[in-house]
Amino acid sequence: MANVTTATGRQEDQLAAVGAELLAASESLIPVPPLRDRVPGMTLQDAYTVQQYQLHHHLARGRVLAGRKVGLTSWAIQQQLGVDSPDFGYFFEDMVHHHGAEIPASHFIQPKVEPEFGFVLKTTLAGPGVTRGQAAAAIEAVYPAIEIIDSRITDWDIKLVDTVADNASCGAIAVGSVPLPVSVDALGSVTCDLLINGEVRESGTGGAVMGDPVIPLAWLANILGQQGVPLEAGQLILPGSFTKALPVVAGESATADFGALGALTIHFTD
């Protein structure tokens, strides 16, 4: 990945213009055409540069980083997009909701929900070189979580560079207030149902998240570590979805049900 400031001349101008387009789309809720069709030869590094452009914009205006998300962690989704690794994005404190939250669907363009774990870190992880064991030891607690994904790209017409540039299609996060009573080493066998209006629509296990949901945490720490960016103690990290994403509209509720371990429900309003 390159920092936007390392691009030069025409390339820097073009990538900054694309980043500004996505920032405007997040305000107007009017999506933009796929980026891959309009930035000739757009690379994954270019896409992360566009993502970082937006992150720097938000931080400069006082938004507070709450954590990061890992996406594309299931084999099926990787096959769909023709990739062999995850991607990642970020979210701010004002994007985090809690159990029972009423969230206006009108704040999004085309929202979908995914059931996930939410890891709160007790120690900082600074890669490269972070092992699975070190990542597991850094987890203070595991919470039920739902990611609301959204796309500033028209009709979810995305390939890898489109979603990466668009902050890995992150819209908002919901996280429970009570940790799941489960050991980190047992996360792969945990099951979760995704319910819409109380009806089970999808089911999966923690093993669907790269075989072990701690692996994406170590991966993220190492990828960011190459840029000199640590995962800080206290941050919330979402390692990836148990299931495919489901669309939601106003009037619907979404539940991530971890059975006897606990559940998280959010409600979408007008």
Side-chain angles (χ1 to χ4, degrees):
M1 295 178 296
N3 187 292
V4 70
T5 58
T6 65
T8 59
R10 184 176 179 181
Q11 179 190 16
E12 179 181 355
D13 292 343
Q14 187 175 41
L15 297 179
V18 170
E21 272 193 54
L22 291 169
L23 287 169
S26 68
E27 294 292 331
S28 69
L29 300 183
I30 299 173
V32 301
L35 308 181
R36 65 185 185 276
D37 297 337
R38 298 182 294 118
V39 180
M42 189 174 191
T43 66
L44 183 59
Q45 178 172 299
D46 292 336
Y48 276 114
T49 296
V50 173
Q51 185 190 117
Q52 289 179 339
Y53 173 91
Q54 297 167 83
L55 174 60
H56 297 159
H57 171 91
H58 291 301
L59 292 175
R61 283 153 182 77
R63 296 184 79 179
V64 179
L65 189 68
R68 297 185 183 264
K69 54 142 305 179
V70 183
L72 304 179
T73 53
S74 78
W75 174 240
I77 294 176
Q78 288 185 5
Q79 281 189 310
Q80 181 181 0
L81 291 181
V83 300
D84 60 3
S85 69
D87 69 352
F88 65 87
Y90 54 82
F91 52 91
F92 300 104
E93 288 185 353
D94 57 16
M95 295 169 65
V96 179
H97 303 275
H98 300 282
H99 178 70
E102 296 187 348
I103 304 170
S106 59
H107 286 183
F108 308 95
I109 299 173
Q110 40 200 348
K112 300 181 182 184
V113 290
E114 297 178 334
E116 306 202 17
F117 289 126
F119 297 153
V120 173
L121 302 184
K122 62 184 174 183
T123 57
T124 295
L125 282 174
V130 172
T131 65
R132 190 268 180 201
Q134 290 170 330
I139 299 171
E140 179 176 33
V142 181
Y143 290 84
I146 293 173
E147 183 182 2
I148 304 168
I149 59 172
D150 195 19
S151 183
R152 274 62 61 176
I153 308 298
T154 303
D155 297 329
W156 278 102
D157 182 7
I158 59 173
K159 296 296 185 183
L160 182 59
V161 295
D162 300 296
T163 184
V164 166
D166 187 27
N167 190 27
S169 302
C170 189
I173 303 297
V175 61
S177 57
V178 178
L180 298 172
V182 61
S183 71
V184 171
D185 287 337
L187 294 179
S189 62
V190 170
T191 61
C192 183
D193 294 329
L194 175 59
L195 290 73
I196 304 296
N197 287 346
E199 177 186 350
V200 176
R201 297 279 299 279
E202 292 288 333
S203 298
T205 70
V209 185
M210 292 182 68
D212 175 356
V214 179
I215 296 297
L217 176 61
W219 175 86
L220 180 60
N222 288 325
I223 289 291
L224 287 174
Q226 294 173 9
Q227 309 302 310
V229 178
L231 297 178
E232 302 282 0
Q235 286 186 335
L236 174 66
I237 310 296
L238 271 61
S241 179
F242 279 60
T243 71
K244 70 179 183 181
L246 294 179
V248 287
V249 297
E252 291 185 327
S253 297
T255 299
D257 187 355
F258 293 84
L261 298 178
L264 168 69
T265 298
I266 53 177
H267 310 284
F268 291 89
T269 62
D270 292 329

